[in-house]
Amino acid sequence: MSSTEHSRIDTSVPHPARRYSYWLGGKDHFAADRESGDAIAAAFPAVVALARANRAFLGRAVRFLAESGVHQFLDLGTGLPAPDNTHEVAQRITPESRVVYVDNDPIVMVHARALLQGDPRGRTAYLEADVRDPAAILAHPSLRETLDLAAPVGVLLVTTLHFVHDDAQVAAVVQHLLDAVPSGSHLVLTHGTMDFSTPDGVAAYEKMFAAGGTDVRARPKHAIEQYLTGLEIVEPGIVPVSDWRPDASADRPVSADLQIYGVVARKP
């Protein structure tokens, strides 16, 4: 890592990608990320299992898209490399698959460029950018060189949108991305929710969110449905990630306090 890159990494502030890596058992995190992760896990013990279930959902969803004929992927909010990254899953099925990874954490991009080397018959690219500026992402030369936006694209927003707190901004981001891709493209989305919690659990979450103890803006199912307007929702619909087409051997955690919705939808 260069001195310039290191200077842009604020290790005193927790970052979602590094905290997620901590929950997944990764090594690329700092004290602030571990403290934040431990505090959230203390309030909601299921969060680590849910993070792992979310990761497993990503693999199943990418496999479904690849088997359905989608061979290009825009992975927004990539996170740090972990087993079964998007290009690895897709290129096992179609070696020519192309993937653009996007994250706003410099350390993610450093590790991605070093570790995420795909099948030479396909292509991978890495953009340091923020999902809240989809126009800049879509106009980036590396994206345009890697993806053909006239052909179907899998747009992956996996545990990304709940870090954008403004509802209207989330809707605008999703619409902008979907407007840029053609018929046959798919949206893969996961999002934290408190729909399954007790009133006490909701109160504890709201208190933690207000105090800055968590940066996840949980949303109800009906809010997520609004982001899918005009799309064909793939069965089984909007469900907890562990219930979306689970593998026979999958560990299916059930949480009374916290859950992550997952959904795949096709642009007609």
Side-chain angles (χ1 to χ4, degrees):
M1 186 185 306
S2 71
S3 59
T4 300
E5 288 168 328
H6 189 272
S7 69
R8 293 188 292 114
I9 299 170
D10 187 349
T11 63
S12 68
V13 177
H15 190 280
R18 299 193 298 263
R19 185 175 60 219
Y20 190 58
S21 174
Y22 175 53
W23 286 337
L24 292 177
K27 298 179 292 184
D28 299 299
H29 39 74
F30 301 101
D33 307 306
R34 295 188 289 272
E35 290 167 7
S36 171
D38 288 344
I40 294 171
F44 302 101
V47 73
V48 175
L50 287 171
R52 293 171 182 173
N54 182 74
R55 183 71 183 185
F57 163 87
L58 170 65
R60 297 195 304 276
V62 170
R63 188 169 69 236
F64 168 79
L65 264 60
E67 291 173 348
S68 300
V70 176
H71 307 313
Q72 303 186 105
F73 299 85
L74 176 57
D75 188 337
L76 299 126
T78 300
L80 286 153
D84 280 340
N85 298 286
T86 296
H87 74 277
E88 293 169 329
V89 176
Q91 289 178 352
R92 281 190 209 117
I93 298 164
T94 306
E96 296 80 13
S97 293
R98 297 183 168 211
V99 179
V100 172
Y101 289 107
V102 181
D103 205 285
N104 68 349
D105 184 1
I107 199 171
V108 168
M109 291 295 97
V110 169
H111 285 273
R113 292 186 186 100
L115 299 175
L116 300 184
Q117 302 301 317
D119 192 300
R121 290 170 287 182
R123 188 164 179 177
T124 52
Y126 317 95
L127 312 184
E128 186 183 331
D130 196 301
V131 71
R132 289 168 291 192
D133 190 359
I137 293 169
L138 291 165
H140 197 286
S142 292
L143 182 144
R144 294 285 174 165
E145 292 166 5
T146 306
L147 302 183
D148 175 8
L149 296 184
V153 177
V155 178
L156 312 182
L157 289 162
V158 176
T159 53
T160 300
L161 295 179
H162 54 215
F163 296 113
V164 182
H165 296 170
D166 183 87
D167 294 343
Q169 187 174 31
V170 170
V173 165
V174 174
Q175 192 62 54
H176 197 130
L177 292 167
L178 291 175
D179 284 347
V181 296
S183 173
S185 296
H186 286 69
L187 173 66
V188 176
L189 185 155
T190 72
H191 199 296
T193 186
M194 295 301 295
D195 281 0
F196 300 89
S197 187
T198 63
D200 287 346
V202 173
Y205 159 76
E206 293 291 354
K207 181 178 180 180
M208 177 175 278
F209 182 79
T214 178
D215 44 10
V216 172
R217 174 72 276 181
R219 290 184 172 94
K221 184 176 182 179
H222 67 78
I224 296 167
E225 288 173 334
Q226 294 177 16
Y227 308 143
L228 309 175
T229 301
L231 302 181
E232 300 170 348
I233 299 178
V234 174
E235 291 294 333
I238 305 172
V239 296
V241 286
S242 50
D243 292 338
W244 196 90
R245 303 191 177 205
D247 295 326
S249 61
D251 182 18
R252 300 175 67 186
V254 176
S255 170
D257 295 311
L258 183 67
Q259 191 50 271
I260 302 173
Y261 279 128
V263 64
V264 176
R266 180 183 182 276
K267 182 175 179 178

